[in-house]
């Protein structure tokens, strides 16, 4: 995947950018190419994060994340704007020249990739220290016998992620093609960035549910697992309410931080307001998804996601997809379906369902 993105970024970007977006392509190609260098390190970091979550150790991943984000913040201005021009009479190499003059917008991608590489190195070192990983086996291909259980367990998650990627690529392409000026595309990007700030908090709920439900169920059975899941659903709903209200009232303050252009700020207002209220249902979505992950119900989660993506793509292909507000309403339809489906699964079909909800055998 990394090699494809590095060697053929134009082909990949053509799935998102319309043919008229040549000016955007000039900035997107170097950005994607530099960002691709962080894909493999990001996978290693995810494995380390999951390993520590499995040990119910959330402090170590937090420290690693804070450290690498701080490095990213320091490198961003250095890579974007450069460290200063060298003497004009000397002939410098391409890398040195880029560091002196900056990579421009692509510098943000370079900074993120460097921070991902540092994060992966930290996790590998920590896992080796705890004797969970052997350096001699990192580059050794696993046997087919060892891979089969991973493939069987991960296939549903892979299909789920693939369907999510298809949906959000469709949404991004729709936003890019709304107008040739790029205002709608910029507004969509800013809206999704603001929305993602809240999603980060919801992902914490998801990770908590995935680890705590499984451990509580292992130690105390279905009743203990149900009590933990119910509490997490409650906390998720409360978090969603706080995020929805907070984002909505902070939009006039937050939006100008992303763009100084009045037309872009005006275009963000409607979609960002819609994204604020999506957080109301996200409390159910991420708590329910985390519970399903904790139960190992990967197939159920993949089916629910595929149906939700179908709902979202149908909305995008309808007249709703012809406006920026409609694209965000399509995302809202996806999340609403997901929230209702995971909640129904929890109370009606899950192994944690109460006796009054048990179906016929």
């Amino acid at each position: 995947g990394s090699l494809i993105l590095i060697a053929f970024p134009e082909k990949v970007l053509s799935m998102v950018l319309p043919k008229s977006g040549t000016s955007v392509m000039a900035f997107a190609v170097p950005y994607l190419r530099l960002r691709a260098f962080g894909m493999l390190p990001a996978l290693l970091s995810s494995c380390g994060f999951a390993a520590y979550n499995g040990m119910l150790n959330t402090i170590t991943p937090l420290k690693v994340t804070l450290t690498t984000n701080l490095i990213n913040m320091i490198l961003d201005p250095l890579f974007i704007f450069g460290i200063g021009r060298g003497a004009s009479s000397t002939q410098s190499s391409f890398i040195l020249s880029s560091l002196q003059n900056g990579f421009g917008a692509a510098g943000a991608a370079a900074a993120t990739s460097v921070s991902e590489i540092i994060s992966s190195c930290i996790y590998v070192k920590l896992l080796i220290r705890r004797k969970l990983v052997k350096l001699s086996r990192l580059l050794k291909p696993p046997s087919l016998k060892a891979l089969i259980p991973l493939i069987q367990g991960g296939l549903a998650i892979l299909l789920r992620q693939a369907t999510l990627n298809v949906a959000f690529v469709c949404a991004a392409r729709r936003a890019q093609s709304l107008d040739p000026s790029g205002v709608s595309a910029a507004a969509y990007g800013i809206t999704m960035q603001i929305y993602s700030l809240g999603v980060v908090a919801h992902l914490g709920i998801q990770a908590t549910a995935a680890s705590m439900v499984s451990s509580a169920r292992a130690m105390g059975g279905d009743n203990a697992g149900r009590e933990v899941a119910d509490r997490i659903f409650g906390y998720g709903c409360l978090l969603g309410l706080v995020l929805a209200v907070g984002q909505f009232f902070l939009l006039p303050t937050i939006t100008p931080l992303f763009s100084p252009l009045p037309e872009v700020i005006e275009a963000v207002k409607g979609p960002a307001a819609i994204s604020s209220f999506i957080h109301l249902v996200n409390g159910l979505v991420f708590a329910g998804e985390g519970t399903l992950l904790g139960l190992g119900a990967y197939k159920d989660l993949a089916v629910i996601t595929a149906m939700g993506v179908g709902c979202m793509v149908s909305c995008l292909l309808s007249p709703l997809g012809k406006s920026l507000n409609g694209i965000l309403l399509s995302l809202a339809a996806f999340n609403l379906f997901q929230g209702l489906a995971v909640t129904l699964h929890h109370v009606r079909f899950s192994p944690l369902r109460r006796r009054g909800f048990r179906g016929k055998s």
Side-chain angles (χ1 to χ4, degrees):
S2 298
L3 293 177
I4 292 173
L5 293 178
I6 293 169
F8 310 105
E10 297 91 348
K11 297 292 184 182
V12 178
L13 287 168
S14 65
M15 295 188 296
V16 180
L17 298 176
K19 293 181 179 179
S20 58
T22 52
S23 60
V24 178
M25 187 75 76
F27 293 97
V29 166
Y31 186 98
L32 181 59
R33 182 171 280 139
L34 288 172
R35 186 66 184 88
F37 284 99
M39 281 188 63
L40 183 58
L43 290 174
L44 292 174
S45 296
S46 297
C47 291
F49 180 84
Y52 274 94
N53 272 349
M55 295 185 288
L56 300 182
N57 181 344
T58 57
I59 301 300
T60 299
L62 176 62
K63 291 179 180 178
V64 175
T65 301
L66 290 175
T67 301
T68 53
N69 281 344
L70 179 60
I71 293 172
N72 195 359
M73 289 173 60
I74 294 171
L75 293 180
D76 267 334
L78 296 178
F79 284 1
I80 293 171
F81 304 109
I83 58 177
R85 295 185 180 275
S88 57
S89 58
T90 60
Q91 194 73 18
S92 59
S93 66
F94 170 75
I95 295 177
L96 182 58
S97 175
S98 298
L99 289 175
Q100 289 172 346
N101 303 323
F103 294 95
T112 303
S113 293
V114 170
S115 65
E116 292 281 11
I117 293 170
I118 294 173
S119 173
S120 64
C121 291
I122 293 173
Y123 272 120
V124 169
K125 182 178 179 180
L126 291 173
L127 292 173
I128 290 174
R129 184 182 298 174
R130 296 190 66 125
K131 298 182 179 179
L132 295 174
V133 167
K134 289 185 178 181
L135 194 59
S136 60
R137 294 186 179 180
L138 282 179
L139 300 178
K140 182 180 178 181
S143 64
L144 182 60
K145 184 179 179 180
L147 276 177
I148 288 176
L150 291 175
I151 294 173
Q152 290 175 339
L155 185 59
I157 296 296
L158 178 62
L159 292 175
R160 172 180 180 265
Q161 193 59 49
T163 55
L164 283 174
N165 289 345
V166 168
F168 285 97
V169 165
C170 289
R173 185 174 178 84
R174 277 284 187 175
Q176 290 286 343
S177 61
L178 286 178
D179 68 82
S181 68
V183 171
S184 295
Y188 177 78
I190 292 172
T191 298
M192 296 308 292
Q193 286 179 337
I194 295 173
Y195 172 70
S196 296
L197 295 175
V199 171
V200 170
H202 285 300
L203 286 171
I205 291 288
Q206 184 189 73
T208 300
S211 58
M212 292 189 65
V213 168
S214 60
S215 61
R217 191 183 181 207
M219 291 185 293
D222 288 344
N223 289 335
R226 183 192 310 118
E227 290 178 3
V228 171
D230 289 346
R231 284 200 300 271
I232 292 175
F233 266 91
Y235 293 145
C237 291
L238 180 61
L239 176 64
L241 177 61
V242 171
L243 289 173
V245 174
Q247 179 179 316
F248 182 78
F249 286 104
L250 287 174
L251 282 177
T253 304
I254 296 174
T255 306
L257 299 177
F258 291 89
S259 175
L261 301 177
E263 60 271 25
V264 175
I265 294 174
E266 184 65 27
V268 167
K269 289 181 179 179
I274 295 171
S275 73
S276 300
F277 293 104
I278 294 177
H279 287 306
L280 290 173
V281 72
N282 276 352
L284 294 173
V285 172
F286 286 91
E289 288 182 350
T291 300
L292 285 167
L293 290 172
L295 294 172
Y298 306 125
K299 291 182 180 179
D300 293 349
L301 181 56
V303 170
I304 290 172
T305 303
M307 294 173 67
V309 166
C311 178
M312 178 178 175
V313 172
S314 298
C315 292
L316 288 171
L317 296 177
S318 74
L320 272 180
K322 296 180 180 180
S323 69
L324 201 53
N325 286 343
I327 292 175
L328 267 295
L329 288 173
S330 300
L331 176 62
F334 165 73
N335 284 317
L336 179 60
F337 180 90
Q338 289 284 102
L340 294 175
V342 296
T343 303
L344 177 63
H345 185 280
H346 179 61
V347 300
R348 183 68 178 81
F349 302 107
S350 169
L352 305 181
R353 64 188 181 274
R354 299 183 186 278
R355 290 186 177 181
F357 290 100
R358 290 190 183 275
K360 296 179 181 180
S361 56

